[in-house]
Structures are given as structure tokens and as C-alpha cells.
Amino acid sequence: SSSSAASDVYKRQCLASTFIEIKFGGWSHHFNTKDEFNEVHEGIGLEVYSLDTNNNQVGVGYWRMKDSLNVSSDYFGLNYRYKIRINNNIEILPSVGLSYFEKGKKENGSITKHSGSSLIPSLSFNFYEKYGLDLFYVPEGSLSYSDTIFFRLSYRIIFL
């Protein structure tokens, strides 16, 4: 059919690859030193990306971890990244993501769950087409009780 042929042409000319990244770990440093925060997050997640021929990547994902208050937290997101190839083995990917989250919140001396959304910039580094490191700076606000640096690891599986 003509729609199938058009789809095939689009895939060959515009879509360079589709891949999954398995995300894991999660470590942070909080710059607020007056409170104690969890900084080992034991996270696991999955993101699915499409890469076009102009190095644009669009993806969706899910991430679950113990947050800074040690509460199991969930993040669902839509992410845009741009791939900058440094050499055959290293890529840098500046990105911005829109996330919906459900996480712990301190309120009147107790911890409760709350939900919200946030725009989150990050910087990813990929090595040898498979291994990755995601780095986030999270300012004090809706997502964090302190200015925070957060990182996690990833492994990529390429489908197309």
C-alpha cells in the first residue's frame, strides 16, 4: 500500500535509529548541609528513543527510585536530546525533559507523597554506543529541598 511505502521512505530518510536505554543506580550530593538526605537512590528505569538523521532524539521514559527523603518515587517523562559526537567513542547529549512525578514531601514534621510536574535540564554522556552517564543539576524547589547534583548510569540496546 502507498501509506506503507511512504512510511518506509520516512524511516529510511528521517529516522536513523530507535533504541532503549536501561537506567540504573542514582547518586546525589545535596548542597544544603543543615539537613540529612538520602544520596544513594537505588533507581531503575527505562527510556525509549528515536534518533533522526539530524541528531535530534525524542524519548519517553519511566524512572523509580528512593528519593532524597528515602521515599519510593516515580517519574514519567518526555525528553528531547541533541547528539554531539566528540569522536567515534564519545557523545555528549544536552537535553531537557518534562517530567510528572510522585515523590516524598516534608510537611508539618511528617513525610507525605505529592505529585507535580517539572522541566528538567540534563547532560548525558554516551561511551562506545552502549554505556551512559546522565548528569542533572536540580535547583532547590518543587523537586528538591536543596540544590542537588544527581547522576545515574545507563546501558543502550539499539533496535534499528
Side-chain angles (χ1 to χ4, degrees):
S1 84
S2 65
S3 66
S4 176
S7 174
D8 290 344
V9 168
Y10 171 78
K11 286 179 185 174
R12 281 194 308 273
Q13 293 183 353
C14 301
L15 192 61
S17 67
T18 300
F19 53 90
I20 288 178
E21 288 182 354
I22 300 166
K23 308 288 185 174
F24 56 94
W27 300 268
S28 64
H29 173 74
H30 297 78
F31 292 96
N32 172 347
T33 57
K34 66 181 189 269
D35 294 312
E36 262 190 55
F37 295 105
N38 174 41
E39 294 188 332
V40 178
H41 300 282
E42 301 174 9
I44 188 77
L46 191 68
E47 292 181 359
V48 179
Y49 281 94
S50 287
L51 168 67
D52 72 13
T53 54
N54 294 316
N55 293 321
N56 296 293
Q57 296 181 3
V58 177
V60 295
Y62 169 74
W63 172 251
R64 181 175 186 90
M65 71 173 190
K66 290 182 182 176
D67 67 16
S68 297
L69 300 175
N70 219 20
V71 174
S72 288
S73 301
D74 298 289
Y75 299 80
F76 303 89
L78 179 63
N79 202 31
Y80 168 79
R81 306 192 299 196
Y82 183 78
K83 180 173 82 169
I84 302 167
R85 184 171 289 283
I86 302 302
N87 60 37
N88 285 340
N89 299 322
I90 300 172
E91 302 168 351
I92 297 177
L93 300 108
S95 70
V96 63
L98 178 61
S99 287
Y100 168 80
F101 59 84
E102 293 181 353
K103 63 185 292 306
K105 180 178 184 177
K106 268 189 194 179
E107 224 168 27
N108 301 324
S110 64
I111 297 175
T112 61
K113 271 245 177 152
H114 83 289
S115 61
S117 61
S118 185
L119 206 55
I120 305 171
S122 64
L123 191 59
S124 295
F125 301 88
N126 286 335
F127 308 96
Y128 302 100
E129 298 285 332
K130 290 184 181 181
Y131 309 103
L133 172 81
D134 299 330
L135 181 63
F136 299 83
Y137 171 72
V138 184
E140 186 173 340
S142 68
L143 273 180
S144 183
Y145 292 96
S146 164
D147 290 343
T148 304
I149 292 176
F150 174 87
F151 73 95
R152 65 185 178 188
L153 303 174
S154 68
Y155 181 78
R156 181 183 293 176
I157 302 167
I158 299 174
F159 285 107
L160 174 71

